Amino acid sequence: MLIKRKRGWEIPESQATPERLYFSRRKLLGAGASLAAASLFPELANAQRASDVPDPTASLYPAKRNDKYKFDGKLTEERLAANYNNFYEYGTSKYIASAAQQLKIRPWQIKFDGMVEKEQTVDIDTLIKAVQLEERIYRLRCVEAWSAVIPWTGFQMSELVNFAKPLSSAKYIRMETFNDPKMAPEQRPGFLSDGNWPYIEGCSIEEANNELSFMVTGAYGKGGYKQFGAPIRLMQPWKYGFKAIKSIVRVTFTDKRPVGYWEKLQVQEYGFWANVNPEVSHPRWSQASERDIGTGERRPTVLFNGYGEYVAGLYKDMKGERLWA
Ligand code: MTE
Protein backbone atom coordinates (compact mmCIF):
# COMPACT_ATOMS: atom_id res chain seq x y z
CA MET A 1 0.00 0.00 0.00
CA LEU A 2 1.42 3.38 -0.98
CA ILE A 3 1.61 5.91 1.84
CA LYS A 4 3.49 8.85 0.36
CA ARG A 5 2.77 9.96 -3.20
CA LYS A 6 5.97 10.68 -5.06
CA ARG A 7 6.35 12.68 -8.22
CA GLY A 8 6.20 10.65 -11.41
CA TRP A 9 9.91 10.49 -12.11
CA GLU A 10 10.53 9.15 -8.64
CA ILE A 11 8.38 6.09 -9.21
CA PRO A 12 10.35 2.97 -8.41
CA GLU A 13 9.47 -0.14 -10.33
CA SER A 14 7.59 -1.50 -7.32
CA GLN A 15 5.08 1.32 -7.64
CA ALA A 16 4.79 1.45 -11.41
CA THR A 17 4.22 -2.30 -11.59
CA PRO A 18 0.87 -3.58 -10.31
CA GLU A 19 1.35 -5.09 -6.86
CA ARG A 20 0.26 -8.58 -7.84
CA LEU A 21 2.94 -8.74 -10.51
CA TYR A 22 5.58 -7.11 -8.35
CA PHE A 23 5.04 -9.47 -5.46
CA SER A 24 4.98 -12.54 -7.66
CA ARG A 25 8.26 -11.33 -9.15
CA ARG A 26 9.81 -11.06 -5.71
CA LYS A 27 8.55 -14.50 -4.80
CA LEU A 28 9.98 -15.81 -8.03
CA LEU A 29 13.36 -14.22 -7.44
CA GLY A 30 13.37 -15.45 -3.88
CA ALA A 31 12.73 -18.96 -5.10
CA GLY A 32 15.81 -18.67 -7.29
CA ALA A 33 13.95 -19.48 -10.50
CA SER A 34 16.95 -19.00 -12.70
CA LEU A 35 15.37 -19.22 -16.15
CA ALA A 36 12.75 -16.58 -15.45
CA ALA A 37 15.10 -14.46 -13.39
CA ALA A 38 17.61 -14.39 -16.24
CA SER A 39 15.17 -12.25 -18.20
CA LEU A 40 14.96 -9.68 -15.43
CA PHE A 41 18.51 -8.40 -15.62
CA PRO A 42 19.67 -5.53 -17.86
CA GLU A 43 21.33 -6.35 -21.16
CA LEU A 44 21.61 -2.88 -22.54
CA ALA A 45 23.82 -3.77 -25.43
CA ASN A 46 21.39 -6.26 -26.87
CA ALA A 47 19.11 -4.82 -29.51
CA GLN A 48 19.15 -7.94 -31.65
CA ARG A 49 16.26 -8.80 -33.90
CA ALA A 50 14.94 -11.95 -35.42
CA SER A 51 17.72 -13.81 -37.08
CA ASP A 52 16.58 -17.39 -36.52
CA VAL A 53 14.22 -17.73 -39.50
CA PRO A 54 14.04 -15.93 -42.85
CA ASP A 55 11.42 -13.20 -43.06
CA PRO A 56 9.56 -13.50 -46.41
CA THR A 57 8.53 -9.84 -46.10
CA ALA A 58 12.04 -8.50 -45.44
CA SER A 59 12.20 -6.81 -48.86
CA LEU A 60 9.26 -4.55 -47.89
CA TYR A 61 11.49 -2.66 -45.43
CA PRO A 62 12.22 0.15 -45.06
CA ALA A 63 8.75 1.30 -46.09
CA LYS A 64 8.09 4.83 -47.30
CA ARG A 65 7.53 7.32 -44.49
CA ASN A 66 4.09 8.92 -44.37
CA ASP A 67 4.93 12.50 -43.47
CA LYS A 68 1.42 13.28 -42.32
CA TYR A 69 2.30 11.54 -39.07
CA LYS A 70 5.53 13.07 -37.95
CA PHE A 71 6.95 14.64 -34.85
CA ASP A 72 8.94 17.85 -34.77
CA GLY A 73 11.15 16.70 -31.90
CA LYS A 74 13.90 14.10 -31.87
CA LEU A 75 13.35 10.41 -32.51
CA THR A 76 14.30 8.16 -29.63
CA GLU A 77 17.58 6.47 -30.50
CA GLU A 78 17.00 2.92 -31.66
CA ARG A 79 19.38 1.33 -29.15
CA LEU A 80 17.51 3.03 -26.31
CA ALA A 81 13.96 2.25 -27.45
CA ALA A 82 14.89 -1.35 -28.30
CA ASN A 83 16.32 -1.88 -24.83
CA TYR A 84 13.57 -0.37 -22.71
CA ASN A 85 10.39 -2.34 -23.26
CA ASN A 86 7.35 -3.70 -21.51
CA PHE A 87 6.70 -7.28 -22.52
CA TYR A 88 5.57 -9.07 -19.40
CA GLU A 89 5.62 -12.44 -21.11
CA TYR A 90 9.39 -12.03 -20.73
CA GLY A 91 9.49 -10.52 -17.25
CA THR A 92 8.67 -7.36 -15.33
CA SER A 93 11.98 -5.70 -16.14
CA LYS A 94 12.34 -3.16 -18.94
CA TYR A 95 15.39 -5.05 -20.15
CA ILE A 96 13.72 -8.01 -21.83
CA ALA A 97 15.30 -7.56 -25.28
CA SER A 98 17.47 -10.59 -24.85
CA ALA A 99 14.78 -12.83 -23.27
CA ALA A 100 12.34 -11.84 -26.03
CA GLN A 101 14.59 -13.49 -28.62
CA GLN A 102 12.94 -16.78 -27.53
CA LEU A 103 9.82 -15.64 -29.38
CA LYS A 104 9.39 -17.63 -32.62
CA ILE A 105 7.81 -15.35 -35.19
CA ARG A 106 7.57 -17.75 -38.15
CA PRO A 107 5.40 -19.58 -38.90
CA TRP A 108 2.78 -17.20 -37.45
CA GLN A 109 -0.92 -17.24 -38.02
CA ILE A 110 -3.73 -14.94 -36.97
CA LYS A 111 -7.24 -16.18 -36.43
CA PHE A 112 -10.16 -13.86 -37.21
CA ASP A 113 -13.35 -14.97 -35.52
CA GLY A 114 -16.53 -13.92 -33.74
CA MET A 115 -18.92 -11.62 -35.56
CA VAL A 116 -17.39 -11.87 -39.02
CA GLU A 117 -18.84 -12.97 -42.34
CA LYS A 118 -16.56 -15.99 -42.28
CA GLU A 119 -13.99 -17.09 -39.74
CA GLN A 120 -10.51 -17.37 -41.20
CA THR A 121 -6.94 -18.04 -40.19
CA VAL A 122 -4.33 -16.19 -42.15
CA ASP A 123 -0.58 -16.49 -42.37
CA ILE A 124 1.21 -13.30 -41.28
CA ASP A 125 3.10 -13.07 -44.58
CA THR A 126 -0.11 -13.33 -46.61
CA LEU A 127 -1.60 -10.54 -44.51
CA ILE A 128 1.44 -8.26 -44.74
CA LYS A 129 1.63 -8.74 -48.51
CA ALA A 130 -2.10 -7.91 -48.84
CA VAL A 131 -1.71 -4.46 -47.26
CA GLN A 132 0.30 -1.33 -47.90
CA LEU A 133 3.19 -0.89 -45.46
CA GLU A 134 4.29 2.61 -44.52
CA GLU A 135 6.33 4.26 -41.81
CA ARG A 136 4.80 6.60 -39.24
CA ILE A 137 6.48 8.41 -36.42
CA TYR A 138 4.32 8.18 -33.32
CA ARG A 139 4.81 9.21 -29.75
CA LEU A 140 4.43 6.40 -27.23
CA ARG A 141 3.25 7.33 -23.73
CA CYS A 142 3.34 4.55 -21.18
CA VAL A 143 0.94 4.70 -18.22
CA GLU A 144 4.07 4.50 -16.05
CA ALA A 145 4.91 8.10 -17.13
CA TRP A 146 7.76 7.41 -19.58
CA SER A 147 7.61 8.16 -23.27
CA ALA A 148 9.44 7.63 -26.54
CA VAL A 149 9.21 8.73 -30.17
CA ILE A 150 9.46 5.77 -32.53
CA PRO A 151 9.31 5.25 -36.31
CA TRP A 152 6.92 2.32 -36.66
CA THR A 153 6.32 0.38 -39.87
CA GLY A 154 2.89 -1.08 -40.45
CA PHE A 155 -0.51 -0.47 -41.94
CA GLN A 156 -3.71 1.25 -40.96
CA MET A 157 -5.90 -0.87 -38.70
CA SER A 158 -8.92 -0.12 -40.89
CA GLU A 159 -7.27 -2.39 -43.49
CA LEU A 160 -7.27 -5.20 -40.93
CA VAL A 161 -10.96 -4.57 -40.24
CA ASN A 162 -11.75 -4.67 -43.97
CA PHE A 163 -9.75 -7.87 -44.33
CA ALA A 164 -11.76 -9.52 -41.51
CA LYS A 165 -15.18 -8.47 -42.89
CA PRO A 166 -17.03 -7.94 -39.59
CA LEU A 167 -20.81 -8.06 -39.33
CA SER A 168 -22.50 -4.70 -38.78
CA SER A 169 -23.59 -5.91 -35.32
CA ALA A 170 -19.96 -6.08 -34.12
CA LYS A 171 -19.06 -3.18 -31.81
CA TYR A 172 -15.66 -4.10 -30.40
CA ILE A 173 -12.47 -5.88 -31.34
CA ARG A 174 -10.75 -8.15 -28.84
CA MET A 175 -7.12 -9.02 -29.52
CA GLU A 176 -5.06 -11.76 -27.98
CA THR A 177 -1.31 -12.39 -27.70
CA PHE A 178 0.20 -15.90 -27.97
CA ASN A 179 0.07 -18.09 -24.89
CA ASP A 180 3.00 -20.47 -25.04
CA PRO A 181 5.23 -21.06 -22.02
CA LYS A 182 7.81 -22.70 -24.32
CA MET A 183 8.38 -19.31 -25.98
CA ALA A 184 7.72 -17.19 -22.90
CA PRO A 185 8.73 -18.84 -19.64
CA GLU A 186 6.85 -16.26 -17.56
CA GLN A 187 3.65 -17.86 -18.85
CA ARG A 188 4.41 -21.14 -17.07
CA PRO A 189 1.90 -22.12 -14.40
CA GLY A 190 2.92 -20.72 -11.04
CA PHE A 191 4.99 -17.95 -12.55
CA LEU A 192 4.19 -14.33 -13.32
CA SER A 193 0.52 -13.30 -13.30
CA ASP A 194 -0.57 -16.92 -13.18
CA GLY A 195 -4.02 -17.48 -14.65
CA ASN A 196 -4.15 -14.12 -16.38
CA TRP A 197 -2.57 -15.10 -19.71
CA PRO A 198 -2.85 -14.49 -22.58
CA TYR A 199 -2.41 -10.74 -22.78
CA ILE A 200 -5.67 -9.31 -24.09
CA GLU A 201 -6.61 -5.85 -25.29
CA GLY A 202 -9.44 -4.33 -27.21
CA CYS A 203 -10.98 -1.25 -28.75
CA SER A 204 -14.21 -0.17 -30.35
CA ILE A 205 -14.76 -0.56 -34.09
CA GLU A 206 -14.83 3.26 -34.38
CA GLU A 207 -11.42 3.48 -32.72
CA ALA A 208 -10.08 0.71 -34.95
CA ASN A 209 -11.25 2.59 -38.02
CA ASN A 210 -9.71 5.87 -36.88
CA GLU A 211 -6.85 6.75 -39.21
CA LEU A 212 -4.31 6.76 -36.35
CA SER A 213 -4.87 3.14 -35.35
CA PHE A 214 -1.89 1.31 -36.75
CA MET A 215 -0.93 -2.35 -36.95
CA VAL A 216 2.82 -2.42 -36.45
CA THR A 217 5.01 -4.98 -38.20
CA GLY A 218 8.38 -3.33 -37.69
CA ALA A 219 10.32 -0.43 -36.25
CA TYR A 220 13.31 1.68 -37.26
CA GLY A 221 12.98 0.50 -40.84
CA LYS A 222 13.10 -3.23 -40.09
CA GLY A 223 10.60 -6.01 -39.54
CA GLY A 224 10.78 -8.82 -37.00
CA TYR A 225 11.73 -6.80 -33.94
CA LYS A 226 10.82 -9.26 -31.21
CA GLN A 227 10.99 -6.98 -28.15
CA PHE A 228 8.64 -4.56 -29.95
CA GLY A 229 6.01 -7.30 -30.35
CA ALA A 230 6.79 -8.92 -33.69
CA PRO A 231 5.42 -10.03 -35.98
CA ILE A 232 2.38 -7.79 -35.42
CA ARG A 233 1.21 -5.46 -32.65
CA LEU A 234 -1.13 -2.55 -32.22
CA MET A 235 -0.30 1.14 -31.81
CA GLN A 236 -2.94 3.71 -30.84
CA PRO A 237 -0.78 6.68 -29.89
CA TRP A 238 -3.47 8.67 -28.09
CA LYS A 239 -3.87 5.92 -25.51
CA TYR A 240 -1.58 4.67 -22.79
CA GLY A 241 0.90 2.12 -24.09
CA PHE A 242 -0.63 -0.87 -22.33
CA LYS A 243 -3.37 -0.82 -24.98
CA ALA A 244 -0.72 -1.48 -27.65
CA ILE A 245 -0.92 -5.27 -27.52
CA LYS A 246 2.06 -7.16 -28.92
CA SER A 247 2.49 -10.40 -30.92
CA ILE A 248 -1.19 -10.84 -31.78
CA VAL A 249 -2.54 -14.29 -32.71
CA ARG A 250 -6.29 -13.77 -32.52
CA VAL A 251 -8.66 -10.96 -33.48
CA THR A 252 -12.27 -11.41 -32.38
CA PHE A 253 -15.17 -9.19 -33.40
CA THR A 254 -17.82 -8.96 -30.69
CA ASP A 255 -20.68 -6.90 -29.31
CA LYS A 256 -19.30 -7.21 -25.75
CA ARG A 257 -16.65 -4.87 -24.43
CA PRO A 258 -13.45 -6.91 -23.99
CA VAL A 259 -11.72 -6.95 -20.64
CA GLY A 260 -7.99 -6.40 -21.05
CA TYR A 261 -5.09 -8.03 -19.22
CA TRP A 262 -4.52 -5.05 -16.93
CA GLU A 263 -8.17 -4.35 -16.38
CA LYS A 264 -8.65 -7.95 -15.26
CA LEU A 265 -5.61 -7.73 -12.99
CA GLN A 266 -6.32 -4.33 -11.43
CA VAL A 267 -9.55 -2.68 -12.56
CA GLN A 268 -9.24 0.23 -10.15
CA GLU A 269 -6.09 1.32 -12.00
CA TYR A 270 -6.62 0.33 -15.63
CA GLY A 271 -9.77 0.79 -17.67
CA PHE A 272 -10.95 0.08 -21.19
CA TRP A 273 -10.59 3.45 -22.94
CA ALA A 274 -7.28 4.47 -21.33
CA ASN A 275 -6.84 7.76 -23.17
CA VAL A 276 -3.87 9.90 -22.13
CA ASN A 277 -4.87 12.78 -19.85
CA PRO A 278 -2.38 14.78 -17.78
CA GLU A 279 -5.10 15.92 -15.41
CA VAL A 280 -6.26 12.49 -14.34
CA SER A 281 -3.71 10.91 -12.05
CA HIS A 282 -3.09 7.23 -11.85
CA PRO A 283 -4.20 6.16 -8.35
CA ARG A 284 -0.51 5.81 -7.42
CA TRP A 285 1.20 8.62 -9.35
CA SER A 286 0.65 11.82 -11.30
CA GLN A 287 0.23 11.79 -15.08
CA ALA A 288 1.02 15.52 -15.43
CA SER A 289 4.44 14.96 -16.95
CA GLU A 290 6.53 12.21 -18.49
CA ARG A 291 10.18 11.22 -18.82
CA ASP A 292 11.44 10.91 -22.38
CA ILE A 293 13.56 7.75 -22.39
CA GLY A 294 15.71 9.17 -25.20
CA THR A 295 16.74 12.52 -23.75
CA GLY A 296 15.97 11.78 -20.12
CA GLU A 297 14.13 15.09 -20.01
CA ARG A 298 10.76 15.62 -18.41
CA ARG A 299 8.06 17.23 -20.44
CA PRO A 300 4.43 18.03 -19.74
CA THR A 301 2.00 15.35 -20.84
CA VAL A 302 -0.57 16.47 -23.39
CA LEU A 303 -4.25 15.47 -23.59
CA PHE A 304 -4.68 12.50 -25.95
CA ASN A 305 -0.87 12.48 -26.13
CA GLY A 306 -1.17 15.40 -28.58
CA TYR A 307 -3.48 13.58 -31.01
CA GLY A 308 -6.76 15.24 -29.96
CA GLU A 309 -7.47 16.68 -33.40
CA TYR A 310 -7.80 13.13 -34.74
CA VAL A 311 -9.57 11.41 -31.88
CA ALA A 312 -11.35 13.76 -29.45
CA GLY A 313 -14.56 13.42 -31.50
CA LEU A 314 -14.69 9.68 -30.79
CA TYR A 315 -15.47 10.35 -27.13
CA LYS A 316 -17.45 13.59 -27.10
CA ASP A 317 -20.83 11.93 -26.49
CA MET A 318 -19.61 9.34 -23.99
CA LYS A 319 -21.04 10.79 -20.82
CA GLY A 320 -20.32 8.90 -17.61
CA GLU A 321 -17.62 6.72 -19.20
CA ARG A 322 -14.21 6.31 -17.58
CA LEU A 323 -12.30 7.68 -20.55
CA TRP A 324 -8.90 8.00 -18.87
CA ALA A 325 -6.98 5.04 -17.42
N1 MTE B 1 1.72 -6.58 -25.12
C1 MTE B 1 1.96 -7.79 -24.55
N2 MTE B 1 1.57 -8.88 -25.17
N3 MTE B 1 2.58 -7.89 -23.35
C2 MTE B 1 2.95 -6.78 -22.63
O1 MTE B 1 3.48 -6.92 -21.52
N4 MTE B 1 3.02 -4.33 -22.53
C3 MTE B 1 2.28 -3.13 -22.93
C4 MTE B 1 2.24 -2.97 -24.45
N5 MTE B 1 1.91 -4.22 -25.09
C5 MTE B 1 2.69 -5.50 -23.19
C6 MTE B 1 2.11 -5.44 -24.48
C7 MTE B 1 2.80 -1.93 -22.32
S1 MTE B 1 2.47 -1.74 -20.65
C8 MTE B 1 3.47 -0.98 -23.03
S2 MTE B 1 3.89 0.51 -22.33
C9 MTE B 1 3.86 -1.20 -24.42
O2 MTE B 1 3.50 -2.51 -24.88
C10 MTE B 1 5.36 -1.04 -24.54
O3 MTE B 1 5.75 -1.11 -25.87
P1 MTE B 1 7.31 -1.09 -26.24
O4 MTE B 1 7.98 -2.13 -25.43
O5 MTE B 1 7.36 -1.33 -27.69
O6 MTE B 1 7.81 0.28 -25.87
Side-chain angles (χ1 to χ4, degrees), residues 104-277:
K104 300 263 172 287
I105 57 172
R106 292 293 187 290
W108 191 277
Q109 294 188 317
I110 306 177
K111 182 174 183 189
F112 292 90
D113 63 2
M115 302 171 96
V116 288
E117 280 178 21
K118 193 168 175 285
E119 293 194 356
Q120 53 177 324
T121 298
V122 64
D123 190 74
I124 186 68
D125 298 311
T126 308
L127 179 66
I128 292 177
K129 286 173 186 166
V131 295
Q132 184 62 49
L133 291 189
E134 62 180 39
E135 183 177 83
R136 296 184 179 190
I137 296 172
Y138 277 170
R139 294 185 291 281
L140 167 69
R141 169 57 157 86
C142 177
V143 74
E144 297 163 339
W146 55 266
S147 60
V149 184
I150 297 177
W152 301 108
T153 307
F155 59 96
Q156 212 156 288
M157 193 179 187
S158 56
E159 287 197 71
L160 187 91
V161 176
N162 292 342
F163 185 90
K165 299 195 176 59
L167 303 178
S168 56
S169 45
K171 293 188 171 61
Y172 301 98
I173 305 181
R174 176 188 181 278
M175 285 156 280
E176 206 175 287
T177 298
F178 68 86
N179 189 6
D180 183 351
K182 287 195 290 303
M183 290 199 300
E186 298 289 339
Q187 292 183 321
R188 278 182 292 169
F191 276 68
L192 187 63
S193 162
D194 198 6
N196 206 41
W197 302 113
Y199 198 98
I200 288 168
E201 258 314 332
C203 66
S204 70
I205 300 272
E206 290 74 24
E207 289 177 321
N209 281 328
N210 182 277
E211 66 175 274
L212 287 184
S213 291
F214 202 51
M215 301 311 302
V216 167
T217 60
Y220 294 93
K222 291 158 279 199
Y225 234 135
K226 295 183 180 181
Q227 59 267 48
F228 283 127
I232 186 164
R233 61 95 62 94
L234 176 64
M235 190 52 63
Q236 290 176 317
W238 70 97
K239 291 174 176 281
Y240 289 114
F242 71 87
K243 299 294 294 182
I245 180 170
K246 296 179 169 181
S247 306
I248 298 167
V249 294
R250 185 173 173 197
V251 179
T252 306
F253 290 80
T254 168
D255 55 3
K256 296 190 182 50
R257 188 180 290 185
V259 179
Y261 174 91
W262 294 103
E263 193 178 348
K264 194 165 141 210
L265 209 56
Q266 216 145 299
V267 66
Q268 65 280 19
E269 301 195 347
Y270 307 101
F272 176 74
W273 300 106
N275 297 308
V276 175
N277 188 338

Side-chain angles (χ1 to χ4, degrees), residues 41-101:
F41 294 105
E43 297 204 21
L44 275 172
N46 191 325
Q48 293 310 305
R49 298 177 303 110
S51 55
D52 43 2
V53 278
D55 174 358
T57 63
S59 65
L60 302 176
Y61 299 87
K64 193 171 179 306
R65 182 171 293 176
N66 184 339
D67 279 323
K68 183 170 180 200
Y69 310 101
K70 58 178 196 232
F71 178 65
D72 291 333
K74 246 179 99 194
L75 284 186
T76 304
E77 253 182 82
E78 180 176 357
R79 70 182 173 88
L80 297 176
N83 283 290
Y84 194 90
N85 303 97
N86 274 341
F87 204 165
Y88 283 87
E89 285 83 343
Y90 293 98
T92 54
S93 155
K94 299 285 177 273
Y95 310 110
I96 51 70
S98 176
Q101 303 314 307

